[in-house]
Amino acid sequence: MDLHNLYQEVIIDHGKNPRNSGELEQYTCTHDASNPLCGDQLTIYVDVDNNIIRNVSFRARGCAISIASASIMSQIIKGKTVEEVQFLFEYFHKLCTGEEINGPVHESEDIERLKVMSGVSKFPSRVKCATMSWHAMKKCID
Ligand code: ZN
């Protein structure tokens, strides 16, 4: 199986069975996001305590890319500091828009998992599908 197929499998899996789906009982911030071009809608719930993302969940309707991206993000950012998440946001945004990534990026499991979405950079109309959940989350931690 080549990398492209592997990435597609991961997106389909998360799109069908999103992790951390639903509303949190306790959260410090929630935010809505939508992508009218594709019909994606999302509400994110984030529980930040002492600069750490204690918990995160989301409700989403839309395409497999938007749901998979939110699902993967929720797994990656849980337990991270706000600064770590801001770095991952910047990285992910560049990955999706095809912008050059300056400086060395420490290859980590998180970075590897984000690369699953790198294919959207070739499809400008799908960039927002992938980044919508990250923008909503970023509004919560800013
Ligand atoms: Zn979409």
Side-chain angles (χ1 to χ4, degrees):
M1 203 194 297
D2 69 22
L3 205 55
H4 177 74
N5 287 336
L6 174 70
Y7 286 177
Q8 244 170 9
E9 288 290 316
V10 175
I11 291 170
I12 290 165
D13 174 42
H14 278 268
K16 277 189 187 157
N17 308 297
R19 325 299 200 263
N20 302 303
S21 173
E23 189 178 330
L24 289 182
E25 273 181 34
Q26 191 193 323
Y27 54 87
T28 52
C29 181
T30 179
H31 221 278
D32 295 320
S34 66
N35 176 16
L37 285 173
C38 183
D40 307 318
Q41 287 187 321
L42 172 138
T43 303
I44 192 148
Y45 306 91
V46 185
D47 187 26
V48 184
D49 174 40
N50 212 2
N51 206 40
I52 306 265
I53 316 296
R54 297 286 173 202
N55 211 349
V56 54
S57 76
F58 65 95
R59 281 184 193 287
R61 275 203 334 227
C63 69
I65 290 175
S66 67
I67 293 172
S69 182
S71 173
I72 292 167
M73 176 186 77
S74 72
Q75 288 190 314
I76 289 177
I77 70 170
K78 215 186 268 193
K80 295 269 192 315
T81 66
V82 168
E83 289 73 21
E84 285 171 322
V85 171
Q86 274 163 344
F87 169 80
L88 290 169
F89 172 88
E90 298 294 333
Y91 175 85
F92 185 67
H93 198 263
K94 286 178 178 171
L95 185 78
C96 290
T97 56
E99 239 184 286
E100 203 181 323
I101 294 163
N102 297 315
V105 175
H106 177 64
E107 292 292 328
S108 65
E109 202 183 315
D110 296 331
I111 296 289
E112 282 305 313
R113 298 190 69 193
L114 290 179
K115 284 182 181 169
V116 164
M117 289 288 161
S118 58
V120 301
S121 66
K122 295 188 196 79
F123 306 95
S125 64
R126 310 310 297 272
V127 170
K128 193 152 186 212
C129 299
T131 57
M132 182 178 74
S133 54
W134 282 82
H135 280 289
M137 178 278 298
K138 183 86 168 17
K139 288 206 170 86
C140 280
I141 62 168
D142 277 346

Short mmCIF file of all heavy atoms in Angstrom, two decimals, residues 2-61:
data_model
loop_
_atom_site.label_atom_id
_atom_site.label_comp_id
_atom_site.label_asym_id
_atom_site.label_seq_id
_atom_site.Cartn_x
_atom_site.Cartn_y
_atom_site.Cartn_z
N ASP A 2 0.65 2.15 -0.95
CA ASP A 2 1.49 3.35 -0.95
C ASP A 2 0.94 4.39 0.03
O ASP A 2 -0.15 4.24 0.58
CB ASP A 2 1.69 3.91 -2.36
CG ASP A 2 0.41 4.51 -2.93
OD1 ASP A 2 -0.49 4.87 -2.15
OD2 ASP A 2 0.33 4.61 -4.16
N LEU A 3 1.74 5.44 0.22
CA LEU A 3 1.42 6.44 1.24
C LEU A 3 0.06 7.10 0.98
O LEU A 3 -0.73 7.32 1.89
CB LEU A 3 2.54 7.49 1.24
CG LEU A 3 2.76 8.26 2.52
CD1 LEU A 3 2.99 7.30 3.69
CD2 LEU A 3 3.96 9.18 2.36
N HIS A 4 -0.20 7.38 -0.30
CA HIS A 4 -1.45 8.05 -0.65
C HIS A 4 -2.66 7.21 -0.22
O HIS A 4 -3.61 7.71 0.37
CB HIS A 4 -1.49 8.31 -2.16
CG HIS A 4 -2.76 8.93 -2.62
ND1 HIS A 4 -3.08 10.25 -2.39
CD2 HIS A 4 -3.82 8.40 -3.27
CE1 HIS A 4 -4.28 10.51 -2.89
NE2 HIS A 4 -4.74 9.40 -3.44
N ASN A 5 -2.59 5.92 -0.50
CA ASN A 5 -3.68 5.03 -0.12
C ASN A 5 -3.81 4.91 1.40
O ASN A 5 -4.93 4.87 1.93
CB ASN A 5 -3.48 3.64 -0.72
CG ASN A 5 -3.75 3.63 -2.21
OD1 ASN A 5 -4.48 4.49 -2.71
ND2 ASN A 5 -3.15 2.69 -2.91
N LEU A 6 -2.65 4.87 2.05
CA LEU A 6 -2.66 4.78 3.51
C LEU A 6 -3.36 6.01 4.09
O LEU A 6 -4.21 5.90 4.97
CB LEU A 6 -1.23 4.67 4.03
CG LEU A 6 -1.09 4.73 5.55
CD1 LEU A 6 -1.64 3.45 6.18
CD2 LEU A 6 0.36 4.92 5.96
N TYR A 7 -2.98 7.19 3.59
CA TYR A 7 -3.59 8.43 4.07
C TYR A 7 -5.10 8.41 3.85
O TYR A 7 -5.88 8.82 4.69
CB TYR A 7 -2.97 9.64 3.35
CG TYR A 7 -1.58 10.00 3.82
CD1 TYR A 7 -0.87 11.03 3.21
CD2 TYR A 7 -0.97 9.32 4.86
CE1 TYR A 7 0.41 11.38 3.63
CE2 TYR A 7 0.31 9.65 5.28
CZ TYR A 7 1.00 10.68 4.66
OH TYR A 7 2.25 11.02 5.07
N GLN A 8 -5.49 7.90 2.68
CA GLN A 8 -6.92 7.85 2.38
C GLN A 8 -7.67 6.92 3.34
O GLN A 8 -8.76 7.23 3.79
CB GLN A 8 -7.13 7.39 0.94
CG GLN A 8 -7.77 8.50 0.14
CD GLN A 8 -7.79 8.21 -1.35
OE1 GLN A 8 -7.47 7.10 -1.79
NE2 GLN A 8 -8.16 9.20 -2.11
N GLU A 9 -7.03 5.80 3.63
CA GLU A 9 -7.63 4.85 4.58
C GLU A 9 -7.85 5.51 5.94
O GLU A 9 -8.88 5.32 6.58
CB GLU A 9 -6.71 3.63 4.77
CG GLU A 9 -6.64 2.70 3.60
CD GLU A 9 -7.94 1.93 3.40
OE1 GLU A 9 -8.49 1.46 4.41
OE2 GLU A 9 -8.39 1.84 2.25
N VAL A 10 -6.84 6.27 6.39
CA VAL A 10 -6.93 6.92 7.71
C VAL A 10 -8.07 7.94 7.71
O VAL A 10 -8.86 8.01 8.65
CB VAL A 10 -5.59 7.60 8.07
CG1 VAL A 10 -5.71 8.38 9.37
CG2 VAL A 10 -4.49 6.56 8.21
N ILE A 11 -8.17 8.71 6.61
CA ILE A 11 -9.23 9.74 6.53
C ILE A 11 -10.61 9.07 6.52
O ILE A 11 -11.52 9.52 7.22
CB ILE A 11 -9.02 10.63 5.28
CG1 ILE A 11 -7.76 11.49 5.47
CG2 ILE A 11 -10.23 11.51 5.03
CD1 ILE A 11 -7.31 12.24 4.23
N ILE A 12 -10.74 8.01 5.77
CA ILE A 12 -12.03 7.32 5.71
C ILE A 12 -12.40 6.75 7.08
O ILE A 12 -13.53 6.87 7.54
CB ILE A 12 -12.00 6.20 4.63
CG1 ILE A 12 -11.95 6.84 3.23
CG2 ILE A 12 -13.22 5.28 4.75
CD1 ILE A 12 -11.57 5.90 2.11
N ASP A 13 -11.40 6.17 7.76
CA ASP A 13 -11.64 5.58 9.08
C ASP A 13 -12.11 6.65 10.07
O ASP A 13 -13.13 6.48 10.75
CB ASP A 13 -10.35 4.91 9.58
CG ASP A 13 -10.49 4.42 11.01
OD1 ASP A 13 -11.56 3.87 11.35
OD2 ASP A 13 -9.55 4.62 11.80
N HIS A 14 -11.38 7.76 10.15
CA HIS A 14 -11.76 8.83 11.09
C HIS A 14 -13.06 9.50 10.67
O HIS A 14 -13.84 9.95 11.52
CB HIS A 14 -10.64 9.87 11.20
CG HIS A 14 -9.54 9.46 12.14
ND1 HIS A 14 -9.55 9.79 13.48
CD2 HIS A 14 -8.43 8.73 11.94
CE1 HIS A 14 -8.46 9.30 14.05
NE2 HIS A 14 -7.76 8.65 13.14
N GLY A 15 -13.29 9.59 9.35
CA GLY A 15 -14.53 10.19 8.86
C GLY A 15 -15.74 9.38 9.25
O GLY A 15 -16.81 9.91 9.58
N LYS A 16 -15.58 8.06 9.23
CA LYS A 16 -16.70 7.16 9.58
C LYS A 16 -16.86 7.02 11.09
O LYS A 16 -17.97 6.90 11.60
CB LYS A 16 -16.45 5.78 8.97
CG LYS A 16 -16.88 5.67 7.53
CD LYS A 16 -16.79 4.20 7.11
CE LYS A 16 -17.05 4.05 5.61
NZ LYS A 16 -16.46 2.81 5.08
N ASN A 17 -15.73 6.94 11.79
CA ASN A 17 -15.76 6.73 13.24
C ASN A 17 -14.97 7.81 13.96
O ASN A 17 -13.88 7.56 14.45
CB ASN A 17 -15.15 5.37 13.60
CG ASN A 17 -15.78 4.25 12.82
OD1 ASN A 17 -16.96 4.00 12.94
ND2 ASN A 17 -14.99 3.60 11.99
N PRO A 18 -15.53 9.04 13.99
CA PRO A 18 -14.76 10.13 14.62
C PRO A 18 -14.51 9.87 16.09
O PRO A 18 -15.41 9.41 16.81
CB PRO A 18 -15.63 11.36 14.40
CG PRO A 18 -16.98 10.85 14.04
CD PRO A 18 -16.80 9.50 13.45
N ARG A 19 -13.26 10.15 16.54
CA ARG A 19 -12.91 10.04 17.95
C ARG A 19 -13.27 11.35 18.65
O ARG A 19 -13.20 12.40 18.05
CB ARG A 19 -11.41 9.75 18.13
CG ARG A 19 -10.78 8.87 17.05
CD ARG A 19 -11.38 7.47 16.95
NE ARG A 19 -10.45 6.56 16.28
CZ ARG A 19 -10.50 6.24 15.00
NH1 ARG A 19 -11.43 6.73 14.22
NH2 ARG A 19 -9.59 5.40 14.49
N ASN A 20 -13.60 11.24 19.91
CA ASN A 20 -13.92 12.42 20.72
C ASN A 20 -15.10 13.21 20.14
O ASN A 20 -15.13 14.44 20.19
CB ASN A 20 -12.70 13.33 20.88
CG ASN A 20 -11.53 12.61 21.52
OD1 ASN A 20 -11.66 12.08 22.61
ND2 ASN A 20 -10.41 12.56 20.83
N SER A 21 -16.07 12.49 19.60
CA SER A 21 -17.26 13.13 19.05
C SER A 21 -18.29 13.30 20.16
O SER A 21 -18.45 12.43 21.01
CB SER A 21 -17.80 12.24 17.92
OG SER A 21 -19.03 12.73 17.48
N GLY A 22 -18.98 14.42 20.16
CA GLY A 22 -20.00 14.70 21.17
C GLY A 22 -19.64 15.94 21.96
O GLY A 22 -18.63 16.58 21.69
N GLU A 23 -20.50 16.28 22.93
CA GLU A 23 -20.28 17.49 23.71
C GLU A 23 -19.63 17.11 25.03
O GLU A 23 -20.01 16.14 25.66
CB GLU A 23 -21.63 18.18 23.96
CG GLU A 23 -21.49 19.56 24.57
CD GLU A 23 -22.85 20.24 24.75
OE1 GLU A 23 -23.78 19.96 23.96
OE2 GLU A 23 -22.98 21.02 25.71
N LEU A 24 -18.65 17.91 25.47
CA LEU A 24 -18.04 17.67 26.78
C LEU A 24 -19.00 18.10 27.88
O LEU A 24 -19.75 19.04 27.71
CB LEU A 24 -16.74 18.49 26.92
CG LEU A 24 -15.51 18.09 26.11
CD1 LEU A 24 -14.37 19.02 26.46
CD2 LEU A 24 -15.13 16.65 26.38
N GLU A 25 -18.95 17.42 29.01
CA GLU A 25 -19.76 17.85 30.15
C GLU A 25 -19.18 19.13 30.74
O GLU A 25 -19.91 19.98 31.26
CB GLU A 25 -19.78 16.76 31.22
CG GLU A 25 -20.88 15.74 30.98
CD GLU A 25 -20.92 14.66 32.04
OE1 GLU A 25 -20.63 14.99 33.21
OE2 GLU A 25 -21.26 13.53 31.69
N GLN A 26 -17.87 19.22 30.69
CA GLN A 26 -17.19 20.38 31.28
C GLN A 26 -16.20 20.94 30.28
O GLN A 26 -15.34 20.21 29.79
CB GLN A 26 -16.47 19.93 32.55
CG GLN A 26 -15.94 21.07 33.39
CD GLN A 26 -14.97 20.57 34.44
OE1 GLN A 26 -15.16 19.49 34.99
NE2 GLN A 26 -13.92 21.33 34.69
N TYR A 27 -16.34 22.21 29.97
CA TYR A 27 -15.40 22.84 29.06
C TYR A 27 -15.27 24.32 29.38
O TYR A 27 -16.15 24.91 29.98
CB TYR A 27 -15.82 22.63 27.60
CG TYR A 27 -17.23 23.06 27.27
CD1 TYR A 27 -17.50 24.37 26.90
CD2 TYR A 27 -18.28 22.15 27.34
CE1 TYR A 27 -18.79 24.77 26.60
CE2 TYR A 27 -19.57 22.54 27.05
CZ TYR A 27 -19.82 23.85 26.67
OH TYR A 27 -21.11 24.24 26.38
N THR A 28 -14.16 24.89 28.97
CA THR A 28 -13.91 26.31 29.24
C THR A 28 -14.23 27.16 28.02
O THR A 28 -14.35 28.37 28.14
CB THR A 28 -12.44 26.55 29.65
OG1 THR A 28 -11.60 25.95 28.68
CG2 THR A 28 -12.15 25.94 31.02
N CYS A 29 -14.34 26.54 26.87
CA CYS A 29 -14.61 27.32 25.65
C CYS A 29 -15.28 26.45 24.60
O CYS A 29 -14.98 25.25 24.49
CB CYS A 29 -13.31 27.89 25.09
SG CYS A 29 -13.57 28.89 23.61
N THR A 30 -16.18 27.07 23.86
CA THR A 30 -16.76 26.37 22.72
C THR A 30 -16.79 27.35 21.55
O THR A 30 -16.85 28.56 21.75
CB THR A 30 -18.19 25.85 23.04
OG1 THR A 30 -18.71 25.20 21.88
CG2 THR A 30 -19.12 26.98 23.46
N HIS A 31 -16.72 26.81 20.34
CA HIS A 31 -16.74 27.67 19.17
C HIS A 31 -17.38 26.95 17.99
O HIS A 31 -17.19 25.75 17.82
CB HIS A 31 -15.31 28.10 18.80
CG HIS A 31 -15.23 29.53 18.40
ND1 HIS A 31 -15.55 29.95 17.14
CD2 HIS A 31 -14.92 30.64 19.11
CE1 HIS A 31 -15.41 31.27 17.09
NE2 HIS A 31 -15.03 31.71 18.26
N ASP A 32 -18.13 27.71 17.20
CA ASP A 32 -18.76 27.15 15.99
C ASP A 32 -17.95 27.53 14.77
O ASP A 32 -17.38 28.62 14.73
CB ASP A 32 -20.18 27.70 15.80
CG ASP A 32 -21.10 27.28 16.92
OD1 ASP A 32 -21.01 26.12 17.35
OD2 ASP A 32 -21.90 28.12 17.36
N ALA A 33 -17.94 26.65 13.81
CA ALA A 33 -17.29 26.97 12.54
C ALA A 33 -18.12 26.35 11.42
O ALA A 33 -18.79 25.33 11.63
CB ALA A 33 -15.87 26.40 12.50
N SER A 34 -18.09 26.99 10.27
CA SER A 34 -18.79 26.39 9.13
C SER A 34 -18.02 26.68 7.85
O SER A 34 -17.25 27.63 7.78
CB SER A 34 -20.22 26.91 9.03
OG SER A 34 -20.20 28.29 8.73
N ASN A 35 -18.25 25.84 6.89
CA ASN A 35 -17.61 25.96 5.59
C ASN A 35 -18.71 25.84 4.55
O ASN A 35 -19.01 24.74 4.08
CB ASN A 35 -16.57 24.84 5.44
CG ASN A 35 -15.94 24.84 4.07
OD1 ASN A 35 -16.03 25.82 3.33
ND2 ASN A 35 -15.31 23.74 3.73
N PRO A 36 -19.34 26.98 4.22
CA PRO A 36 -20.51 26.95 3.33
C PRO A 36 -20.21 26.34 1.96
O PRO A 36 -21.10 25.75 1.35
CB PRO A 36 -20.90 28.42 3.18
CG PRO A 36 -20.16 29.17 4.23
CD PRO A 36 -18.97 28.35 4.60
N LEU A 37 -18.96 26.46 1.50
CA LEU A 37 -18.61 25.93 0.18
C LEU A 37 -18.85 24.43 0.09
O LEU A 37 -19.17 23.90 -0.96
CB LEU A 37 -17.13 26.21 -0.11
CG LEU A 37 -16.78 27.65 -0.49
CD1 LEU A 37 -15.27 27.81 -0.59
CD2 LEU A 37 -17.44 28.05 -1.80
N CYS A 38 -18.66 23.75 1.24
CA CYS A 38 -18.78 22.29 1.24
C CYS A 38 -19.97 21.83 2.07
O CYS A 38 -20.41 20.69 1.95
CB CYS A 38 -17.47 21.69 1.77
SG CYS A 38 -17.40 19.91 1.77
N GLY A 39 -20.49 22.73 2.92
CA GLY A 39 -21.61 22.36 3.78
C GLY A 39 -21.18 21.76 5.11
O GLY A 39 -21.98 21.13 5.80
N ASP A 40 -19.91 21.96 5.47
CA ASP A 40 -19.41 21.42 6.75
C ASP A 40 -19.80 22.34 7.90
O ASP A 40 -19.71 23.55 7.79
CB ASP A 40 -17.88 21.33 6.74
CG ASP A 40 -17.36 20.57 5.53
OD1 ASP A 40 -17.96 19.55 5.19
OD2 ASP A 40 -16.34 21.01 4.95
N GLN A 41 -20.21 21.73 9.01
CA GLN A 41 -20.52 22.48 10.23
C GLN A 41 -19.87 21.79 11.41
O GLN A 41 -19.85 20.56 11.46
CB GLN A 41 -22.03 22.53 10.45
CG GLN A 41 -22.72 23.45 9.48
CD GLN A 41 -24.18 23.61 9.82
OE1 GLN A 41 -24.83 22.65 10.22
NE2 GLN A 41 -24.69 24.81 9.66
N LEU A 42 -19.41 22.58 12.36
CA LEU A 42 -18.70 22.00 13.48
C LEU A 42 -18.82 22.88 14.71
O LEU A 42 -18.82 24.10 14.62
CB LEU A 42 -17.23 21.84 13.08
CG LEU A 42 -16.21 21.40 14.15
CD1 LEU A 42 -15.29 20.38 13.54
CD2 LEU A 42 -15.41 22.57 14.66
N THR A 43 -18.97 22.24 15.85
CA THR A 43 -18.86 22.93 17.13
C THR A 43 -17.78 22.22 17.93
O THR A 43 -17.79 21.00 18.03
CB THR A 43 -20.20 22.88 17.91
OG1 THR A 43 -21.22 23.44 17.10
CG2 THR A 43 -20.10 23.67 19.21
N ILE A 44 -16.86 23.01 18.45
CA ILE A 44 -15.78 22.41 19.23
C ILE A 44 -15.93 22.78 20.69
O ILE A 44 -16.41 23.88 21.02
CB ILE A 44 -14.39 22.83 18.66
CG1 ILE A 44 -13.29 21.98 19.27
CG2 ILE A 44 -14.09 24.31 18.91
CD1 ILE A 44 -12.13 21.74 18.37
N TYR A 45 -15.53 21.87 21.56
CA TYR A 45 -15.55 22.10 23.01
C TYR A 45 -14.13 21.83 23.52
O TYR A 45 -13.58 20.77 23.27
CB TYR A 45 -16.52 21.14 23.69
CG TYR A 45 -17.91 21.21 23.12
CD1 TYR A 45 -18.28 20.37 22.07
CD2 TYR A 45 -18.85 22.12 23.60
CE1 TYR A 45 -19.55 20.43 21.50
CE2 TYR A 45 -20.11 22.19 23.04
CZ TYR A 45 -20.46 21.34 21.99
OH TYR A 45 -21.71 21.41 21.44
N VAL A 46 -13.59 22.81 24.21
CA VAL A 46 -12.22 22.69 24.70
C VAL A 46 -12.19 22.99 26.19
O VAL A 46 -12.80 23.97 26.64
CB VAL A 46 -11.26 23.65 23.95
CG1 VAL A 46 -9.81 23.42 24.38
CG2 VAL A 46 -11.39 23.51 22.45
N ASP A 47 -11.50 22.15 26.92
CA ASP A 47 -11.33 22.37 28.36
C ASP A 47 -9.85 22.66 28.62
O ASP A 47 -9.02 21.76 28.54
CB ASP A 47 -11.81 21.14 29.14
CG ASP A 47 -11.80 21.39 30.63
OD1 ASP A 47 -11.94 22.57 31.03
OD2 ASP A 47 -11.69 20.42 31.40
N VAL A 48 -9.56 23.93 28.85
CA VAL A 48 -8.18 24.34 29.10
C VAL A 48 -8.03 24.64 30.59
O VAL A 48 -8.84 25.35 31.17
CB VAL A 48 -7.79 25.61 28.30
CG1 VAL A 48 -6.32 25.96 28.51
CG2 VAL A 48 -8.07 25.42 26.82
N ASP A 49 -7.00 24.05 31.18
CA ASP A 49 -6.76 24.28 32.60
C ASP A 49 -5.26 24.40 32.81
O ASP A 49 -4.50 23.51 32.40
CB ASP A 49 -7.34 23.12 33.42
CG ASP A 49 -6.98 23.24 34.89
OD1 ASP A 49 -7.01 24.37 35.43
OD2 ASP A 49 -6.66 22.20 35.50
N ASN A 50 -4.84 25.52 33.41
CA ASN A 50 -3.43 25.69 33.72
C ASN A 50 -2.55 25.54 32.48
O ASN A 50 -1.52 24.89 32.51
CB ASN A 50 -3.03 24.65 34.79
CG ASN A 50 -1.95 25.19 35.70
OD1 ASN A 50 -1.53 26.34 35.55
ND2 ASN A 50 -1.48 24.36 36.62
N ASN A 51 -3.02 26.14 31.37
CA ASN A 51 -2.26 26.16 30.12
C ASN A 51 -2.18 24.79 29.41
O ASN A 51 -1.42 24.61 28.47
CB ASN A 51 -0.84 26.70 30.36
CG ASN A 51 -0.24 27.32 29.12
OD1 ASN A 51 -0.94 28.00 28.37
ND2 ASN A 51 1.04 27.08 28.88
N ILE A 52 -2.96 23.84 29.87
CA ILE A 52 -2.95 22.51 29.25
C ILE A 52 -4.34 22.22 28.67
O ILE A 52 -5.35 22.54 29.30
CB ILE A 52 -2.64 21.40 30.30
CG1 ILE A 52 -1.34 21.71 31.04
CG2 ILE A 52 -2.67 20.02 29.69
CD1 ILE A 52 -0.10 21.05 30.49
N ILE A 53 -4.35 21.62 27.48
CA ILE A 53 -5.62 21.18 26.90
C ILE A 53 -6.01 19.88 27.62
O ILE A 53 -5.50 18.81 27.29
CB ILE A 53 -5.50 20.90 25.37
CG1 ILE A 53 -4.70 21.99 24.64
CG2 ILE A 53 -6.86 20.66 24.74
CD1 ILE A 53 -5.29 23.37 24.62
N ARG A 54 -6.88 20.01 28.60
CA ARG A 54 -7.27 18.82 29.38
C ARG A 54 -8.16 17.89 28.58
O ARG A 54 -8.08 16.67 28.69
CB ARG A 54 -8.00 19.25 30.65
CG ARG A 54 -7.17 20.06 31.62
CD ARG A 54 -6.16 19.20 32.34
NE ARG A 54 -5.27 20.04 33.15
CZ ARG A 54 -4.09 19.68 33.56
NH1 ARG A 54 -3.61 18.49 33.23
NH2 ARG A 54 -3.35 20.49 34.29
N ASN A 55 -9.06 18.50 27.80
CA ASN A 55 -9.99 17.67 27.06
C ASN A 55 -10.51 18.45 25.85
O ASN A 55 -10.52 19.68 25.86
CB ASN A 55 -11.16 17.26 27.97
CG ASN A 55 -11.72 15.90 27.58
OD1 ASN A 55 -11.38 15.35 26.53
ND2 ASN A 55 -12.58 15.36 28.43
N VAL A 56 -10.91 17.71 24.85
CA VAL A 56 -11.46 18.36 23.66
C VAL A 56 -12.43 17.40 22.97
O VAL A 56 -12.20 16.18 22.97
CB VAL A 56 -10.33 18.80 22.68
CG1 VAL A 56 -9.41 17.65 22.33
CG2 VAL A 56 -10.89 19.46 21.43
N SER A 57 -13.52 17.94 22.49
CA SER A 57 -14.46 17.12 21.72
C SER A 57 -15.13 18.01 20.69
O SER A 57 -14.95 19.24 20.69
CB SER A 57 -15.50 16.48 22.63
OG SER A 57 -16.47 17.43 23.01
N PHE A 58 -15.91 17.40 19.82
CA PHE A 58 -16.58 18.20 18.79
C PHE A 58 -17.84 17.48 18.30
O PHE A 58 -17.97 16.26 18.43
CB PHE A 58 -15.63 18.44 17.60
CG PHE A 58 -15.25 17.17 16.88
CD1 PHE A 58 -15.95 16.78 15.74
CD2 PHE A 58 -14.23 16.36 17.34
CE1 PHE A 58 -15.63 15.59 15.08
CE2 PHE A 58 -13.89 15.18 16.69
CZ PHE A 58 -14.60 14.80 15.56
N ARG A 59 -18.75 18.30 17.79
CA ARG A 59 -19.88 17.79 17.02
C ARG A 59 -19.69 18.29 15.60
O ARG A 59 -19.43 19.47 15.41
CB ARG A 59 -21.20 18.37 17.54
CG ARG A 59 -21.73 17.72 18.78
CD ARG A 59 -23.07 18.35 19.08
NE ARG A 59 -23.52 18.00 20.41
CZ ARG A 59 -23.96 16.80 20.75
NH1 ARG A 59 -24.04 15.84 19.83
NH2 ARG A 59 -24.34 16.56 21.98
N ALA A 60 -19.84 17.40 14.63
CA ALA A 60 -19.59 17.83 13.26
C ALA A 60 -20.54 17.14 12.29
O ALA A 60 -20.96 16.01 12.49
CB ALA A 60 -18.14 17.53 12.88
N ARG A 61 -20.87 17.91 11.24
CA ARG A 61 -21.59 17.35 10.10
C ARG A 61 -20.86 17.82 8.87
O ARG A 61 -20.48 18.98 8.79
CB ARG A 61 -23.02 17.91 10.06
CG ARG A 61 -24.00 17.17 10.93
CD ARG A 61 -25.42 17.39 10.44
NE ARG A 61 -25.62 18.62 9.72
CZ ARG A 61 -26.62 19.46 9.95
NH1 ARG A 61 -27.49 19.21 10.89
NH2 ARG A 61 -26.77 20.55 9.21
#
